[in-house]
């Protein structure tokens, strides 16, 4: 069972969520502030971070950025629906998913499992490393290199890229991507996809050219290529 | 039959001014013309009549007259025309004489002859000859005094005086009147325009100001000019606007306070609920091993916590709509897929809900909100109406682009007529005995707000076969 770091300032949520997750067999370490959470990152070495966006001191978005500077650990934000702006900013900062509070433990655990889930390869029997232009995508090692240089991709970015590149030139709607990549029941937030695409493009595309690998198909969604 | 458009104030004012000016000019001209014409003609007449009478009286005639005598008298009279040269005719019994060979019998009418016989002082008549030139014809019967009484001699003399000069004078006056009236009327346009402007400008200002007020610019005020009735109206307008602004500001403040309170309360409730909701599972699981009363209590707490969480979530959603903070996150979706997924997620794909969906219709909308709308309508239909529920999706042309029409009809008894107007109210209880509805009581209110956010409308009605029918009409391509 994964080791979860919970960064949440409200004691009742911290204790309640911690208790619920421990009951389901997770190893939970809780921090009250962003600073304490960042300190625990090194000592506790979590496999997943549950991060409240509204923190005193350095806020959740900043904590998210700091974690992303050094680590590709999956990050799920705890937010309140309606704090729309925060969701977008949090996603841009590198969070993989978000949960709207209040949430039942089963919902929280389902999200944790979805983020940690490895993508099943939709088309087996292909070479382990596929080359697309300057990108080399290793499906079994789950690494991506550009011009031989390995890219640091967050779990959601990696999954999205693997999914799109598995069927080059096929268009996927945002809703399909939410289902396949995030395991979200159908009507989650398409902004998850858009924010993830933006982060991914930032890492794999040439900044001064229009996107080559992940192309937008207006009115339909996204596709990989054609290169 | 087209109705003629009503004339504007400006047109009416100018028309009134011109009408008054025209009436003045025409009346003045007519009166002047008549008086002057009569004066001129009277002078000519009087001079001519009296001079003819004088001339006749100076003539000595021997009765009975012969043709030669008559001719001599007539010729003599013809030389002494005053004020203008005249032509004289004489009649004595059956004898006729004329001073002019060109007009042997002249323009003497029978009417004049009769008048002369009746009036011993003579008579006159204005006539026109064939070419339309006016003439004055005078007739005087010659008399001789006999024992202090004037006896008629039987000779009658007529003089025909051309009135060409007088007619010219009169014509010149008419022309002068005409030439004066037209510029006068034209000049009247200027004060008309000025008057119209002085009335219209305040009216126009007021109209603009009223429009601005209607658009919600309650700080609109009009410049008050002068001290006439229009200025009074402007002042009243300003006072009204001020009072309106004041009361609306108070209302808005109260509303903002109330909304903020609702929003703050739900925000405050959310955090403890997040903690409670996270542990409800623990309560439910452990209730198994506790004594029945404690177990019951725990399950109650757990169940109510869940409901409370839904209620708070809905309250926050409504607060966001009220605060205009709700945003549309648009995406392009295949409608058939979207509807199918909504039913699938809630396990309504078991035959209780039938769909009539055209394949391949794509719409631009907020998928999450659309899902909430559809789930709410179908959930209500199943809960209050009854299966089977029919969802019909159609697209059609609208005033501004394609429209998406979604109809959700159930097979229940329909909505009571007294309930229909309140069906979208917050916390409205269709059944007074039911203290709490199955949902939060905000479901349909949130549904309506979600539809409005897409720029659509939602109507509730009863179908022809008794069930309730909810009709959603929104743009096929919503704009955020």
């Amino acid at each position: 069972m994964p080791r979860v770091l919970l960064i949440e300032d409200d004691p009742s949520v911290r204790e309640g969520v911690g208790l619920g997750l421990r009951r389901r067999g997770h190893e939970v370490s809780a921090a009250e502030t962003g600073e304490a959470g960042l300190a625990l990152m090194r000592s506790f070495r979590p496999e997943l971070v549950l991060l409240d966006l509204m923190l005193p001191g350095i806020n959740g978005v900043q904590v998210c950025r700091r974690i992303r500077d050094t680590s590709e650990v999956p990050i799920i934000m705890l937010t309140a629906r309606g704090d729309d702006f925060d969701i977008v900013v949090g996603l841009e900062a590198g969070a993989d998913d978000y949960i709207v509070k209040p949430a039942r433990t089963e919902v929280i655990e389902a999200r944790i499992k979805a983020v940690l889930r490895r993508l099943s390869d939709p088309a087996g029997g292909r070479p382990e490393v596929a080359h697309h232009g300057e990108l080399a995508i290793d499906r079994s090692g789950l690494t991506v290199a550009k011009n031989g240089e390995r890219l640091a991709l967050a779990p959601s970015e990696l999954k999205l890229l693997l999914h799109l590149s598995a069927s080059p030139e096929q268009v996927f709607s945002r809703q399909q991507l939410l289902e396949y990549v995030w395991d979200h029941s159908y009507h989650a937030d398409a902004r998850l996809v858009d924010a993830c695409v933006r982060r991914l493009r930032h890492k794999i595309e040439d900044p001064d050219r229009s996107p080559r690998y992940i192309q937008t198909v207006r009115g339909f969604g996204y596709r990989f290529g054609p290169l | 039959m087209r109705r003629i458009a009503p004339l504007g104030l400006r047109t009416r004012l100018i028309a009134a001014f011109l009408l008054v000016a025209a009436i003045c000019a025409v009346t003045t001209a007519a009166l002047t013309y008549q008086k002057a014409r009569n004066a001129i003609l009277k002078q000519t007449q009087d001079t001519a009549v009296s001079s003819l009478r004088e001339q006749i009286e100076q003539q000595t005639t021997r009765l009975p007259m012969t043709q030669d005598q008559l001719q001599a008298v007539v010729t003599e009279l013809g030389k002494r025309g005053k004020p203008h040269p005249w032509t004289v005719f004489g009649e004595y019994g059956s004898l006729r004489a004329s001073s002019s060979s060109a007009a042997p019998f002249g323009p003497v009418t029978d009417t004049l002859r009769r008048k002369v016989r009746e009036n011993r002082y003579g008579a006159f008549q204005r006539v026109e000859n064939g070419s339309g030139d006016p003439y004055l014809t005078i007739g005087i019967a010659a008399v001789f005094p006999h024992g202090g009484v004037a006896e008629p001699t039987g000779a009658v003399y007529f003089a025909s005086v051309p009135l060409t000069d007088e007619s010219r004078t009169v014509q010149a006056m008419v022309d002068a009147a005409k030439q004066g009236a037209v510029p006068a009327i034209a000049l009247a346009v200027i004060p008309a325009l000025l008057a119209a402007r002085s009335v219209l400008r305040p009216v126009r200002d007021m109209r603009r100001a009223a429009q601005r007020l209607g658009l919600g610019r309650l700080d609109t005020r009009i410049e008050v000019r002068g001290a006439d009735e229009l200025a009074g109206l402007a002042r009243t307008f300003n006072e009204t606007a001020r009072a309106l602004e004041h009361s609306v500001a108070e209302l808005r403040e109260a509303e903002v306070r109330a909304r903020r309170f609702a929003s703050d309360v739900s925000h405050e409730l959310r955090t403890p609920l997040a903690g409670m909701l996270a542990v409800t599972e623990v309560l439910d699981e452990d209730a198994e091993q506790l004594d029945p009363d404690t177990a019951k209590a725990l399950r109650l707490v757990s169940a109510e916590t869940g409901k409370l969480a839904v209620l708070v979530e809905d309250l926050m959603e409504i607060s966001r709509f009220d605060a205009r903070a709700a945003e549309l996150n648009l995406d392009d979706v295949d409608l058939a897929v979207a509807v199918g997924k909504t039913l699938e997620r809630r396990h309504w794909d078991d035959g209780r809900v039938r769909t009539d969906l055209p394949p391949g219709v794509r719409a631009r909308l907020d998928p999450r909100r659309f899902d909430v709308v559809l789930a709410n309508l179908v959930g209500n239909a199943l809960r209050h109406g009854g299966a089977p529920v029919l969802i019909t999706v159609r697209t059609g042309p609208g005033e501004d682009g394609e429209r998406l029409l979604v109809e959700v009809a159930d097979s229940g008894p329909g909505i009571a007529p007294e309930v229909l107007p309140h069906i979208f109210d917050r916390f409205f209880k269709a059944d007074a005995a039911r203290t709490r509805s199955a949902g939060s009581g905000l479901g349909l209110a949130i549904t309506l707000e979600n539809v409005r956010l897409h720029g659509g409308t939602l109507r509730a009605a009863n179908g022809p076969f008794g069930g309730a029918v909810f009709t959603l009409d929104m743009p096929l391509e919503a704009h955020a």
Side-chain angles (χ1 to χ4, degrees):
Chain A
M1 273 297 178
R3 292 140 55 86
V4 177
L5 170 60
L6 171 62
I7 308 177
E8 162 66 67
D9 61 318
D10 185 85
S12 78
V13 180
R14 205 168 53 239
E15 282 170 32
V17 172
L19 176 64
L21 288 175
R22 281 191 199 98
R23 287 276 297 218
R24 287 176 167 254
H26 297 274
E27 193 181 336
V28 181
S29 178
E32 199 176 341
T33 62
E35 291 86 343
L38 286 169
L40 276 173
M41 280 294 297
R42 284 185 285 278
S43 56
F44 180 63
R45 306 196 63 75
E47 290 156 86
L48 182 136
V49 179
L50 277 178
L51 173 60
D52 180 25
L53 275 190
M54 306 286 281
L55 289 173
I58 64 165
N59 66 35
V61 175
Q62 288 164 312
V63 173
C64 190
R65 282 205 193 97
R66 296 249 196 115
I67 295 174
R68 277 281 169 265
D69 285 344
T70 58
S71 155
E72 279 82 66
V73 67
I75 300 174
I76 301 177
M77 297 181 292
L78 292 170
T79 69
R81 189 187 300 290
D83 307 348
D84 280 354
F85 175 72
D86 292 337
I87 291 180
V88 175
V89 174
L91 290 171
E92 297 282 351
D96 293 290
D97 201 348
Y98 70 91
I99 296 170
V100 177
K101 288 193 292 187
R104 294 174 182 274
T105 307
E106 53 191 300
V107 173
I108 299 173
E109 200 196 26
R111 303 261 38 90
I112 291 174
K113 279 189 170 155
V115 168
L116 292 174
R117 184 176 52 92
R118 279 196 53 165
L119 274 184
S120 57
D121 200 331
R126 55 173 73 220
E128 295 204 340
V129 179
H131 290 273
H132 302 276
E134 298 168 341
L135 295 181
I137 300 173
D138 181 350
R139 296 191 165 272
S140 55
L142 297 179
T143 56
V144 179
K146 185 181 179 186
N147 297 331
E149 210 174 308
R150 200 179 143 181
L151 297 170
L153 298 181
S156 54
E157 295 158 17
L158 180 64
K159 280 190 200 173
L160 181 67
L161 182 57
L162 289 178
H163 187 79
L164 287 172
S165 62
S167 318
E169 299 185 33
Q170 186 188 329
V171 181
F172 294 94
S173 74
R174 289 178 178 80
Q175 301 295 344
Q176 284 174 317
L177 293 171
L178 280 168
E179 279 185 278
Y180 301 143
V181 176
W182 278 267
D183 223 2
H184 261 281
S185 56
Y186 184 68
H187 291 294
D189 198 332
R191 290 174 302 172
L192 264 175
V193 185
D194 293 341
C196 191
V197 166
R198 273 197 295 274
R199 296 196 321 247
L200 193 51
R201 279 176 176 167
H202 186 70
K203 292 178 182 177
I204 66 174
E205 305 278 5
D206 274 328
D208 37 11
R209 283 178 48 188
S210 58
R212 231 179 113 201
Y213 300 107
I214 302 190
Q215 300 185 2
T216 307
V217 183
R218 269 194 65 87
F220 288 90
Y222 297 106
R223 72 168 173 230
F224 188 85
L227 298 179
Chain B
M1 198 44 209
R2 252 189 74 243
R3 266 186 61 239
I4 295 169
L7 295 172
L9 202 52
R10 177 197 301 273
T11 318
R12 292 208 304 248
L13 273 169
I14 292 173
F17 262 84
L18 290 188
L19 191 64
V20 169
I23 289 171
C24 286
V26 169
T27 313
T28 311
L31 286 173
T32 310
Y33 166 74
Q34 213 182 352
K35 290 277 182 225
R37 177 169 173 270
N38 287 349
I40 292 169
L41 290 177
K42 197 170 178 318
Q43 197 191 348
T44 311
Q45 264 160 223
D46 292 355
T47 314
V49 171
S50 62
S51 76
L52 182 63
R53 189 176 290 121
E54 268 172 37
Q55 301 297 339
I56 292 170
E57 278 168 11
Q58 282 168 20
Q59 300 299 326
T60 50
T61 45
R62 291 189 47 196
L63 298 174
M65 286 175 90
T66 61
Q67 174 71 32
D68 288 349
Q69 282 175 323
L70 183 64
Q71 185 63 54
V73 172
V74 165
T75 309
E76 187 59 34
L77 287 174
K79 289 176 188 160
R80 298 162 189 258
K82 247 172 70 177
H84 305 299
W86 58 32
T87 315
V88 180
F89 313 96
E91 294 182 2
Y92 182 78
S94 61
L95 300 179
R96 299 278 182 275
S98 165
S99 67
S100 154
S101 55
F105 303 111
V108 178
T109 60
D110 293 341
T111 321
L112 185 62
R113 286 201 183 86
R114 202 180 56 244
K115 275 166 126 181
V116 171
R117 277 199 297 278
E118 286 162 6
N119 189 339
R120 55 200 190 86
Y121 294 110
F124 58 86
Q125 189 188 24
R126 264 183 295 222
V127 293
E128 281 181 5
N129 67 0
S131 54
D133 297 328
Y135 283 86
L136 177 68
T137 50
I138 310 162
I140 289 175
V143 292
F144 64 94
H146 176 74
V149 186
E151 291 285 348
T153 58
V156 181
Y157 298 103
F158 296 97
S160 151
V161 187
L163 288 175
T164 325
D165 287 1
E166 286 73 9
S167 137
R168 260 194 228 111
T169 312
V170 170
Q171 192 56 49
M173 275 173 26
V174 171
D175 290 349
K178 268 190 202 160
Q179 284 160 2
V182 172
I185 291 172
L187 279 175
V189 171
I190 295 166
L193 281 172
L194 287 172
R197 189 158 157 260
S198 71
V199 172
L200 283 179
R201 198 194 306 154
V203 170
R204 205 174 43 229
D205 286 355
M206 218 163 295
R207 181 174 152 197
R208 283 202 194 120
Q211 271 174 340
R212 273 205 301 273
L213 211 56
L215 291 172
R217 302 267 309 278
L218 297 179
D219 55 347
T220 305
R221 298 289 179 271
I222 306 174
E223 191 186 336
V224 181
R225 293 191 203 84
D228 56 6
E229 289 85 345
L230 285 169
L233 187 56
R235 247 194 307 279
T236 310
F237 179 95
N238 286 346
E239 282 160 17
T240 310
R242 204 170 292 119
L244 191 65
E245 187 180 24
H246 182 69
S247 47
V248 167
E250 277 188 351
L251 279 173
R252 280 196 183 142
E253 269 169 36
E255 195 183 23
V256 165
R257 274 199 302 273
R259 282 180 180 168
R260 190 174 301 136
F261 181 73
S263 168
D264 288 350
V265 166
S266 34
H267 267 277
E268 288 300 321
L269 286 172
R270 190 161 54 178
T271 305
L273 267 172
M276 287 159 73
L277 206 59
V279 297
T280 50
E281 264 184 44
V282 180
L283 297 182
D284 288 338
E285 280 174 19
D286 288 7
E288 309 292 332
Q289 295 113 45
L290 299 167
D291 71 280
D293 277 1
T294 314
K296 214 172 180 178
L298 285 182
R299 288 204 183 93
L300 182 73
V301 169
S302 166
E304 291 300 320
T305 302
K307 286 184 188 165
L308 194 56
V310 172
L311 173 60
V312 167
E313 201 51 58
D314 283 354
L315 268 177
M316 298 210 35
E317 190 78 352
I318 278 281
S319 297
R320 275 194 293 278
F321 282 121
D322 286 346
R324 306 256 194 300
E327 288 180 1
L328 274 181
N329 295 305
L330 297 175
D331 196 7
D332 297 281
V333 300
D334 179 306
L335 268 173
V337 173
V339 173
K341 291 279 179 181
T342 296
L343 299 179
E344 194 185 309
R345 280 185 69 196
R346 294 172 180 78
H347 312 295
W348 289 332
D349 46 357
D350 52 4
R352 285 183 296 163
V353 181
R354 292 208 303 264
T355 55
D356 175 3
L357 302 166
V361 174
R362 295 188 70 81
R364 186 163 179 76
L365 42 77
D366 183 324
R368 182 185 74 81
R369 294 190 190 277
F370 185 73
D371 173 66
V372 167
V373 167
L374 197 61
N376 213 301
L377 293 178
V378 175
N380 269 332
L382 289 170
R383 206 166 31 242
H384 302 296
V389 171
L390 178 65
I391 304 173
T392 316
V393 175
R394 291 280 176 273
T395 55
E399 276 179 20
D400 35 12
E402 286 277 290
R403 307 290 293 180
L404 166 64
L405 297 161
V406 180
E407 214 175 66
V408 178
D410 64 43
S411 310
I415 305 164
E418 65 271 15
V419 171
L420 260 183
H422 306 287
I423 195 103
F424 297 109
D425 291 1
R426 297 172 189 188
F427 300 117
F428 179 73
K429 302 288 186 288
D431 179 2
R434 269 222 325 264
T435 45
R436 247 181 13 164
S437 50
S440 65
L442 291 168
L444 276 177
I446 289 174
T447 302
L448 178 63
E449 293 287 0
N450 272 320
V451 173
R452 280 185 185 153
L453 198 63
H454 282 89
T457 57
L458 183 60
R459 289 192 313 275
N462 287 315
F465 309 113
V469 180
F470 283 83
T471 310
L472 157 61
D473 175 346
M474 61 186 239
L476 196 62
E477 299 221 344
H479 300 284

